Amino acid sequence: DDQDFQECGANACLNPINGQWSAWSPFAACTATCDGGTRLRSRTCTNPEPADGGDECTGSDTDFDECGISPCLNPVDGQWSDWSPFSACSASCDGGEKMRTRSCAAPAPSDGGMDCTGRAQETKTCNADVPCKGEWSSWSSWSVCRKPQPLNLGCTGSRARVRTCSTAPNTCGPDVDGEQKSKCFLDKCRQLYGVDHPDHPDFPGAGADHKNEHEHEY
């Protein structure tokens, strides 16, 4: 036989598979919370892996991203200012209130610092020991002149006038009841005698004190 055969191509036939990237992992925590940092994510050439002479994945298996880019803050807690002077009292007598204030501005809180604690306003009672003094009204007109006793035969009667206190009567002065009384010349005697009666204040010889008692009547 002039032909000779030799076995060849005994290797198994291959089906090359190129590698593909997996999905990116979540980003890791940022390396800084402010003033700039970085965060990392990764992937693997396993979706699928290269096989039977297939190509490796191309590109980087890691990815970086900027993070924490806000400027770093220096928190300042607020502090109270000094108290202002007290205001004028709301009442000059029988008790009132006065007030003072302060502000959270020495310094004011900033960059996330704490607010001031406590009150921004304070009130106190004032003039509680100063009693209010009342004011008298004008006197009323004199009442009709009347006999103090019905059987009194003279011509001298009595009349009264009153005034009121704007608060309690004892705060207006010594005239607690706000009433005045005086002697007066009865109308019927004026009609009968005119000034010709000893009880009339203008009767000749009447004393000055007697006239002053009746000066509001004539």
Side-chain angles (χ1 to χ4, degrees), residues 16-181:
I17 298 175
N18 296 328
Q20 298 290 331
W21 289 114
S22 67
W24 286 104
S25 69
F27 276 107
C30 189
T31 58
T33 57
C34 57
D35 281 349
T38 56
R39 57 183 182 172
L40 172 70
R41 65 178 179 174
S42 61
R43 61 183 177 175
T44 57
C45 190
T46 56
N47 188 33
E49 294 181 286
D52 294 342
D55 295 333
E56 292 284 341
C57 297
T58 59
S60 176
D61 63 350
T62 56
D63 180 37
F64 293 91
D65 184 33
E66 289 186 355
C67 55
I69 58 176
S70 298
C72 288
L73 301 179
N74 181 27
V76 175
D77 293 338
Q79 298 290 332
W80 288 114
S81 67
D82 291 335
W83 284 105
S84 69
F86 274 105
S87 64
C89 191
S90 61
S92 60
C93 55
D94 281 354
E97 285 189 343
K98 59 183 180 180
M99 180 181 68
R100 65 177 183 174
T101 60
R102 59 181 178 174
S103 60
C104 188
S110 61
D111 293 344
M114 300 292 290
D115 280 329
C116 299
T117 58
R119 296 177 298 170
Q121 178 177 306
E122 182 181 49
T123 57
K124 283 188 176 181
T125 301
C126 49
N127 291 336
D129 56 346
V130 180
C132 285
K133 183 177 180 181
E135 294 184 1
W136 287 113
S137 66
S138 299
W139 284 107
S140 67
S141 300
W142 286 105
S143 65
V144 175
C145 188
R146 300 181 184 278
K147 281 187 177 183
Q149 297 293 333
L151 298 180
N152 191 334
L153 300 179
C155 284
T156 299
S158 177
R159 61 181 180 172
R161 63 179 183 176
V162 296
R163 60 181 178 176
T164 56
C165 185
S166 59
T167 55
N170 59 359
T171 66
C172 282
D175 297 313
V176 176
D177 56 3
E179 183 178 17
Q180 255 187 2
K181 294 182 179 181

Side-chain angles (χ1 to χ4, degrees), residues 182-203:
S182 77
K183 295 178 181 179
C184 53
F185 194 61
L186 296 173
D187 285 345
K188 69 174 185 177
C189 290
R190 184 188 299 112
Q191 295 167 4
L192 291 174
Y193 306 112
V195 298
D196 297 326
H197 191 281
D199 289 340
H200 195 285
D202 292 332
F203 185 79

